[in-house]
DNA sequence: ATGACAAGCTTCGCTTGA
């Protein structure tokens, strides 16, 4: 049986419990990384997931950010600190029982190119890159998943001209992905489907999902050592037509055990 | 030039998201 690794920016785990339940029923997963849980740790619905056979690890805060890993098997070496300068909950790494180390990330959006938030996004990505370099030396079988707030190429954007000066497509941000690729990481979906047009996020406004106007900003990257195990990858875009959806779809990859 | 949806907190209005 292949191992299913999935990632989903749920935009509030408490608001999204019905959708999480129905998606997990339609596609059983072995390990699921969540972003934007928007819940402090004491209020995380840990018991709900334990009752359904998951080991939950999570690091959240009120209102914003928040990351979690739900695993069918115990995890170890859990780390949530990216550095003293980063107090927001956007990073969670763990050793899994599925033959790889996992990093779950929720990259800052960056607001506008001129904003302090964009400077923070660049600083954050710099720290992430340093951490990944360290981790990769120790754990060559490394999966890097989450909401990157980064569209790798113009074909990942429904209207590239409209996003030409965007914090999601800016050269400095795309360079961080290229640095990861230089370390040997591969964008699994793009690797399997070089020409596919598929998105993982749609604006809630303007009927963007219905019109097919989205972005592919959620990614599952596998290290060079782990890539030979990749069998399938996909984006569960149909989740967007369900009631009260997240603005992001779950993404998944199947790996050989 | 602007808002449009959605969620949570600052809760009947504001901030943030992407």
């Amino acid at each position: 049986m292949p191992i299913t690794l999935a990632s989903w920016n749920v935009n509030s785990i408490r608001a999204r419990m019905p959708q999480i339940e129905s998606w997990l029923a339609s596609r059983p997963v072995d390990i699921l990384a969540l972003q934007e849980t928007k819940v402090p740790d004491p209020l995380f619905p840990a018991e709900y997931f334990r009752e359904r056979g998951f080991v939950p690890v999570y690091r959240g805060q009120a209102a914003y950010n928040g990351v979690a890993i739900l695993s069918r098997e115990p995890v170890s070496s859990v780390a949530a600190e990216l550095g003293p300068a980063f107090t927001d909950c956007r990073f969670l790494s763990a050793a899994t029982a599925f033959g790889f180390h996992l990093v779950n990330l929720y990259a800052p959006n960056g607001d506008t190119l001129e904003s302090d938030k964009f400077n923070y996004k660049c600083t954050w990505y710099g720290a992430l890159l340093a951490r990944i370099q360290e981790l990769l030396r120790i754990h060559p079988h490394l999966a890097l998943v989450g909401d990157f707030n980064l569209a790798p190429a113009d074909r990942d954007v429904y209207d590239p001209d409209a996003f030409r000066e965007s914090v999601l497509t800016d050269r400095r941000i795309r360079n961080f992905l290229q640095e990861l690729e230089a370390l040997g990481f591969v964008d699994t979906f793009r690797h399997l489907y070089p020409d596919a047009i598929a998105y993982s996020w749609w604006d809630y406004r303007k009927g963007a999902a219905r019109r097919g106007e989205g972005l592919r900003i959620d990614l599952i990257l596998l290290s060079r050592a782990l890539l030979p195990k990749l069998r399938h990858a996909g984006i569960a875009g149909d989740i967007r037509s369900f009631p009260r959806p997240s603005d992001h779809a779950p993404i998944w990859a199947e790996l050989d055990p």
Side-chain angles (χ1 to χ4, degrees), chain A residues 38-52:
Chain A
K38 296 187 175 181
V39 64
D41 288 348
L43 299 179
F44 188 91
E47 203 50 42
Y48 172 92
F49 291 110
R50 282 194 198 100
E51 287 167 358
R52 284 154 184 79

Side-chain angles (χ1 to χ4, degrees), chain A residues 149-221:
Chain A
N149 266 313
L150 184 175
D154 281 355
R155 64 184 176 287
D156 300 308
V157 179
Y158 73 94
D159 184 350
D161 286 334
F163 282 82
R164 198 63 69 193
E165 303 296 319
S166 157
V167 294
L168 306 175
T169 61
D170 185 82
R171 174 184 46 78
R172 285 161 285 184
I173 297 305
R174 282 180 168 166
N175 278 350
F176 283 111
L177 181 62
Q178 286 165 11
E179 297 271 8
L180 290 167
E181 288 168 345
L183 292 174
F185 285 95
V186 170
D187 174 353
T188 52
F189 182 85
R190 191 51 76 203
H191 178 74
L192 293 177
Y193 306 105
D195 302 316
I197 301 299
Y199 306 127
S200 66
W201 175 88
W202 301 262
D203 200 316
Y204 279 124
R205 299 164 292 186
K206 298 184 288 190
R210 179 175 44 78
R211 295 149 64 112
E213 297 180 346
L215 308 171
R216 195 175 68 91
I217 54 177
D218 300 87
L219 307 175
I220 295 177
L221 309 186

Side-chain angles (χ1 to χ4, degrees), chain A residues 41-128:
Chain A
D41 288 348
L43 299 179
F44 188 91
E47 203 50 42
Y48 172 92
F49 291 110
R50 282 194 198 100
E51 287 167 358
R52 284 154 184 79
F54 287 101
V55 175
V57 294
Y58 40 92
R59 181 64 65 91
Q61 64 188 88
Y64 308 114
N65 310 315
V67 282
I69 295 170
L70 309 174
S71 174
R72 288 285 178 196
E73 302 288 344
V75 299
S76 58
S77 304
V78 177
E81 309 303 329
L82 196 53
F86 309 99
T87 55
D88 44 0
C89 302
R90 299 179 175 276
F91 176 90
L92 191 61
S93 69
T96 78
F98 303 108
F100 57 89
H101 206 90
L102 176 65
V103 170
N104 176 19
L105 65 91
Y106 171 48
N109 170 275
D111 194 21
T112 63
L113 292 175
E114 303 76 24
S115 67
D116 291 341
K117 288 180 180 179
F118 184 71
N119 285 331
Y120 179 71
K121 182 177 192 175
C122 292
T123 304
W124 186 91
Y125 256 114
L128 177 74

